[in-house]
Amino acid sequence: MHQFPSRRRFLELSGLSSLSLLLGGCALSLVEGVVGKTFEPLNQSVESLLFNPQKLIPEFPESEIEPEALIVNTYRFTPVIDPSTFRLIIDGEVNNPLSLSIAEIQQLPHQTMTIRHVCVEGWAAIVQWGGVRLGDLVTLAQPKSDVRYVYFESADGYYESWDLASAVHPQTLLADQKNGEPLPIENGAPLRLASPIKLGYKQSKWVTRITLVNQLRRFKGYWEDQGYEWYAGL
Amino acid sequence: MTADSVIPRQNLSAKIFHWVNIISLLLMITSGLQIYNANPVFGGRNGIPFPPIFLLGGWLAGGRHWHFAAMWLFALNLLWYGIYILVTRRWRHRFVSDKDIKALQRTQNQKRRNYAWHRITYTAIVPILLLAIFTGLGMYKPAQFHWIVDCFGSWQALRIVHFATVPLVVIYAAIHSWLSLKVGGSRLVESMFW
């Protein structure tokens, strides 16, 4: 039983193991593309089941704000926008398309929230955001009944899309304040998305256009189109 | 054959659980370390990343896809095995009991003492695996399971505990293999696989 394997047997075995290593390597990279596509729909349905559109996420006291913890991740460049000429476009499947100035947006109820901002990379920061509820803007635009998704375009070319339920959640804001101060340019001034229910890459900075649609387009978001998960709910 | 009667045999359910657990843990750890590298728990962007040989997924998105696919395999395998040992009452005689503790206190019989340690070790890994799932769920859905993050006091503490399950599982695997060999030799070890 335990005799030393013959030379022929040894060669057979080493041939087999290198073949399996080669096949294994190929199979692994093939599987890699399949794994995400296979499990993302399952995970997404579980995530949207867990998500309650009415439930408020508990907030933190102001004393727990971590001003240094919020890292600025920008993918291309930092656009500088003149607030006096800025217009926010809201269009798509709506009965009342809008083009709003900063002053007009500031007419809406202003809200602050102290929440945990969670990055896909693994770090998190407790931040206070102030702004108007995205849900209020969507209501103003009077979406048609079949609207299910919301697209966001940014001044730097970044783009994102959300499910409507998450976009109109009462803690999803178009923020113009960070930690009690006017929103800094590198954090997305004049307006950025802020929400406790989505990962950081969903929270577009320098938002210039909001488009309500009834189905997702081929391009879903800058990072999503490179392989990141689309729903990215927290 | 008399020799057959002393060969340890394992229930097929136990073997399947053991295999799936090993494979899913390997997938969870390697994809988890890939995610770790995007922002090391210790040191953040200045932290030391793990070398590629230990990683799965190629980049952050790939690592996350593997991690959130293998989590089903890992967690459901643990769940059905938990139900199985409850229903068959395996937990009564296959896991650590007061007899093992008494044996450690009273007997000098090295074989009995090794066996007691063996049972303590493989029972102790169960809460560690459950802790990995609990902390993982807290990091995956920190808004919906806000209370899980609160249990650990801070986000960083939660990340450290979740990560700590990796070295714990690796140390466990080494001690468990060594004790299995001591207690039952290669015949016991092989009985758990084939």
Side-chain angles (χ1 to χ4, degrees), chain A residues 32-72:
Chain A
E32 223 142 82
V34 176
V35 164
K37 285 188 184 74
T38 312
F39 281 87
E40 203 180 321
L42 166 72
N43 289 351
Q44 189 180 314
S45 38
V46 174
E47 286 178 82
S48 32
L49 259 178
L50 282 173
F51 172 63
N52 177 349
Q54 268 78 48
K55 192 188 134 199
L56 289 179
I57 307 306
E59 295 183 15
F60 296 86
E62 276 184 33
S63 57
E64 288 184 29
I65 294 173
E66 302 161 312
E68 303 305 319
L70 184 72
I71 301 173
V72 174

Side-chain angles (χ1 to χ4, degrees), chain A residues 43 47 73 122 226-227 233-234, chain B residues 45 59 65 68 72 141 143 155:
Chain A
N43 289 351
E47 286 178 82
N73 271 338
Q226 294 177 58
L234 294 174
Chain B
R45 291 192 176 173
W59 69 309
H65 283 315
F68 301 136
W72 293 109
K141 297 289 161 246
W155 181 259

Side-chain angles (χ1 to χ4, degrees), chain B residues 33-54:
Chain B
L33 294 180
Q34 178 81 61
I35 299 171
Y36 178 102
N37 277 3
N39 185 275
V41 176
F42 302 104
R45 291 192 176 173
N46 303 317
I48 300 161
F50 284 92
I53 183 92
F54 298 119

Side-chain angles (χ1 to χ4, degrees), chain A residues 24-206:
Chain A
C26 290
L28 206 63
S29 49
L30 261 179
V31 168
E32 223 142 82
V34 176
V35 164
K37 285 188 184 74
T38 312
F39 281 87
E40 203 180 321
L42 166 72
N43 289 351
Q44 189 180 314
S45 38
V46 174
E47 286 178 82
S48 32
L49 259 178
L50 282 173
F51 172 63
N52 177 349
Q54 268 78 48
K55 192 188 134 199
L56 289 179
I57 307 306
E59 295 183 15
F60 296 86
E62 276 184 33
S63 57
E64 288 184 29
I65 294 173
E66 302 161 312
E68 303 305 319
L70 184 72
I71 301 173
V72 174
N73 271 338
T74 298
Y75 89 112
R76 208 174 270 168
F77 61 95
T78 302
V80 178
I81 297 167
D82 178 3
S84 61
T85 57
F86 175 85
R87 310 293 290 187
L88 175 70
I89 308 292
I90 305 178
D91 61 2
E93 300 292 316
V94 295
N95 291 319
N96 183 31
L98 299 163
S99 166
L100 302 169
S101 67
I102 296 283
E104 285 168 319
I105 293 165
Q106 282 168 348
Q107 302 287 308
L108 290 165
H110 200 266
Q111 171 178 325
T112 59
M113 61 177 185
T114 309
I115 55 138
R116 181 179 282 118
H117 179 97
V118 182
C119 180
V120 66
E121 294 170 358
W123 55 266
I126 297 176
V127 188
Q128 187 184 66
W129 301 108
V132 298
R133 277 188 293 267
L134 187 62
D136 289 349
L137 285 166
V138 168
T139 308
L140 271 184
Q142 298 168 23
K144 292 178 180 161
S145 58
D146 59 348
V147 164
R148 290 178 60 204
Y149 304 101
V150 187
Y151 270 81
F152 301 95
E153 271 177 46
S154 299
D156 61 338
Y158 196 78
Y159 57 103
E160 260 302 338
S161 61
W162 287 41
D163 55 297
L164 182 68
S166 299
V168 300
H169 183 274
Q171 287 163 302
T172 300
L173 304 183
L174 258 191
D176 59 2
Q177 279 183 353
K178 185 191 94 172
N179 299 336
E181 305 283 335
L183 188 66
I185 289 174
E186 65 270 24
N187 293 113
L191 293 172
R192 68 163 293 157
L193 283 168
S195 180
I197 57 169
K198 293 283 187 196
L199 281 172
Y201 64 87
K202 300 298 284 185
Q203 301 178 31
S204 303
K205 300 187 275 193
W206 310 293

